[in-house]
Amino acid sequence: MELRPIHMVDVVGQYKKIKPEIDDVVQRVLNSGQYILGKEVTEFENEIANYLGVKYGIGCASGTDALQVAMMALGIGPGDEVVTTPFTFVATTETIVLLGAKPVYVDIDPKTFNIDPALVEAAITSRTKAIIPVHLYGQSCDMDPLMAVANKHKIPVIEDMCQAIGADYKGKKVGGIGAMGAISFFPSKNLGAFGDAGMVVTNDQALAEKLRMIVVHGSRVRYKHEVIGVNSRLDALQAAKLRVKMRYLDEWIAARQTAARWYDKGFAGTGVTTPFIASYGTHVFHQYTVRIKAKRDKAAEQLAAQKIPHAIYYPIPLHKQEAYLPMTDASHAMPVTDEATAEVLSLPMHTELDEQQIAHIVNAVREAVR
Ligand SMILES: *Cc1c(COP(=O)(O)O)cnc(C)c1O
């Protein structure tokens, strides 16, 4: 069989498999005249909340906005500190800083790449207003010790679950463990829209009501503004398409896990460190990220030479990003993060990969590390 072209993500391939269903709901929404919020959005919010086992879902325009409005609901602003991880996408730090607060970084666990709960308490001060752990690459942080510290100091936790929808922690889905969960439906995420979309989930009724106001200009009665808000609404078109895709989410997670097992098998005995799966939960493989000591860049070059897509998530950790240096403590040494930055390599991961493609990718990496 001829090798099919390899993509890092395959949003078109996934769309083609469910095209009639998607096209059908697009027509339904276009004909309805309700393009922002409305029934599709409400139904989708309820479906996500049910799936995650939480009480409320509040749609918004992106995962980044989900983080921002979640912090706004907690009243975070100038003078406040938010404890978070430096090894992630920029959105967490960006939204903290936009609200006038200061990110305080805590180094990561070398196996899961997630915030190290044992180091969190030392980062807490009287100004700490939230802790934002990120469930990176599709695997939960170790939430029990993290929640123990947070509860002891009465600090709310916002789970950045943008990469981990559907992942379990001790039999419970992530998102409902902290005070709020922030979800992204960016097209390449495990549940991806056809554009930008996001949601905040929570079990707290007061927070849910506040979030509902914040995403529509701080208002629940039109032209009456009770709190400072933003314009961050979920489009009906995205909600309708996501409702279709949601029915496939568990199947798609299983396809990612199967692809991960093929990779794991291929890398056995090569010195390439395959993703660690903590015994406390499941991994939904938003990314399949290996660690390669010393030869990571050589492996990346080899993949590039064979035109195999790959990526480094993330090449510059947040505590070293130029834009944020003025509000970052120089004393923040993050040795585990720095080491991970030099060794991680993310390989193609999506629902449409086959075993032959994965064998081809594995062989290219194996050649480089031999
Ligand atoms: C994608 C992502 C975000 C931002 O989501 P958008 O929908 O792109 O705004 C935030 N945090 C993490 C960890 C992400 O992966």
Side-chain angles (χ1 to χ4, degrees), residues 14 17 54 143 289:
Q14 195 179 60
K17 280 193 167 167
V54 297
M143 291 304 285
T289 304

Side-chain angles (χ1 to χ4, degrees), residues 272-283:
V272 170
T273 306
T274 55
F276 170 78
I277 303 177
S279 59
Y280 56 61
T282 59
H283 198 315

Side-chain angles (χ1 to χ4, degrees), residues 61-311:
S62 70
T64 305
D65 276 6
L67 289 163
Q68 180 176 330
V69 298
M71 282 188 275
M72 287 173 77
L74 295 174
I76 289 172
D80 296 337
E81 293 177 355
V82 178
V83 170
T84 189
T85 166
F87 194 63
T88 182
F89 183 60
V90 71
T92 33
T93 284
E94 179 182 66
T95 47
I96 292 165
V97 170
L98 279 173
L99 292 175
K102 183 183 154 189
V104 174
Y105 299 114
V106 167
D107 211 354
I108 57 170
D109 174 290
K111 296 224 282 279
T112 63
F113 304 105
N114 286 328
I115 195 166
D116 185 343
L119 305 178
V120 168
E121 190 157 31
I124 291 174
T125 72
S126 58
R127 290 182 295 276
T128 309
K129 291 290 156 57
I131 302 170
I132 309 186
V134 179
H135 305 308
L136 201 71
Y137 301 149
Q139 175 165 238
S140 177
C141 300
D142 193 359
M143 291 304 285
D144 277 354
L146 186 81
M147 291 307 295
V149 174
N151 291 337
K152 180 176 155 196
H153 294 271
K154 299 192 168 53
I155 298 169
V157 170
I158 302 168
E159 298 175 63
D160 179 338
M161 53 177 294
C162 290
Q163 300 189 2
I165 189 164
D168 272 25
Y169 178 75
K170 299 189 178 174
K172 202 170 164 1
K173 291 228 172 3
V174 299
I177 303 167
M180 287 175 276
I183 311 175
S184 167
F185 303 110
F186 183 79
S188 68
K189 298 290 157 82
N190 286 21
L191 179 58
F194 296 77
D196 277 312
M199 195 178 290
V200 184
V201 291
T202 184
N203 283 309
D204 184 315
Q205 191 188 350
L207 281 175
E209 279 174 18
K210 214 155 175 198
L211 286 161
R212 279 243 173 272
M213 288 195 275
I214 291 171
V215 298
V216 287
H217 303 289
S219 154
R220 64 184 128 196
V221 176
R222 198 174 285 184
Y223 305 126
K224 180 168 182 279
H225 304 280
E226 296 171 53
V227 295
I228 297 172
V230 291
N231 172 10
S232 182
R233 297 170 296 212
L234 182 55
D235 287 349
L237 265 176
Q238 298 306 343
K241 289 178 281 187
L242 284 164
R243 289 181 69 196
V244 172
K245 281 193 156 190
M246 228 200 118
R247 299 202 285 270
Y248 297 92
L249 181 57
D250 284 336
E251 192 185 305
W252 286 342
I253 289 172
R256 288 171 179 273
Q257 289 167 335
T258 300
R261 276 195 295 274
W262 289 333
Y263 273 124
D264 285 351
K265 221 169 63 189
F267 286 126
T270 59
V272 170
T273 306
T274 55
F276 170 78
I277 303 177
S279 59
Y280 56 61
T282 59
H283 198 315
V284 296
F285 291 102
H286 173 60
Q287 297 297 340
Y288 183 89
T289 304
V290 297
R291 275 186 95 124
I292 305 175
K293 264 208 186 313
K295 291 182 177 166
R296 191 270 312 269
D297 291 342
K298 195 169 164 230
E301 279 161 28
Q302 179 68 30
L303 290 167
Q306 295 194 31
K307 298 198 166 48
I308 298 171
H310 56 280

